[in-house]
Amino acid sequence: MLAEANEDVRLSPRADEPAGEISSRAAGEAVGAIRRLAEKAEKFSPANTRLVATSIVRESRNADDFCARVFRETGCAVDVLSGEAEALAIAAGVATDPAVAGIAGAGDLFIVDLGGGSMECILKKTGAAVVAESFPLGAVRLTRRFFPSPENPIPPAETEQLAAHVRAAITGFFQKTKPARECLFVGCGGAFSVAGAIFAARAGRAFDAPESAKLPADALRALRDELSGKPIAERMKIQALPASRADILPAALTTILVLAELAGAEVFLRSRHNLRYGIAAGL
């Protein structure tokens, strides 16, 4: 890895924007971010460049218009990934993580990547092919559907409604795949990174320390309950919690906890080697 940069842009429509499509506002923000990131990448004279889009774009009615605008204004062609292709690329990314490779060994490996629009679940059983599936259970999507006022403390009833929705959506995947309880559970995406950063800050450890990569489900549950009981102004005072994540983290953690319940996961190993690493490896 020579360099890495992020731009936080939400493509999903706001409450005052048409549902099911990418607004002109969001498209403009995305174009600006892509242009800036492309300029940073160009300094390294890359032999290959690939720009991919995931759930929000592939589900939007105006995806073709959005992709055309990106190409027109940045010169970058957008490759819209299917849910399965996204999940498999995430698996390829996790495979590049030395920490995962050093622990996984010959056992089963379960990967969950939770984004803003979707959640990908990938299971690699010993001696078997990878089973990968994408679900429309992203943290931004679920927050907007189940928490009408995420800036306020979140009522337990709303949390339970969200949990029931997630449970209904993914129970079939676990009935079909039956991951072994002793398999290695790996978590990718912003929620795992932010939770890890909060735990590391509270323990006085470096974020990149090996111990900081272990996220017990019990600790995630306690953090979810803490955040849900606070208004957003109080959440934003928590060390290592970015303001841009303060509204969606309770929904993200609830989703992760339902998955942990169904999979029997007691601890997740946090990995930053997610989709972008898989795309880069493919190049």
Side-chain angles (χ1 to χ4, degrees), residues 100-125:
V100 174
I103 297 175
D108 292 358
L109 175 65
F110 187 96
I111 303 165
V112 54
D113 189 306
L114 181 60
S118 65
M119 178 176 72
E120 282 65 49
C121 294
I122 306 105
L123 175 65
K124 176 65 170 70
K125 296 179 78 73

Side-chain angles (χ1 to χ4, degrees), residues 239-265:
Q239 187 178 0
L241 174 55
S244 62
R245 302 277 180 173
D247 59 337
I248 63 173
L249 193 55
L253 293 175
T254 297
T255 303
I256 292 167
L257 289 168
V258 171
L259 184 143
E261 165 201 319
L262 294 175

Side-chain angles (χ1 to χ4, degrees), residues 146-147 154-167 224 254 258 261:
F146 289 95
F147 299 162
I154 298 167
E158 291 181 3
T159 297
E160 185 46 47
Q161 288 174 354
L162 186 156
H165 174 77
V166 174
R167 195 174 292 113
R224 190 274 311 273
T254 297
V258 171
E261 165 201 319

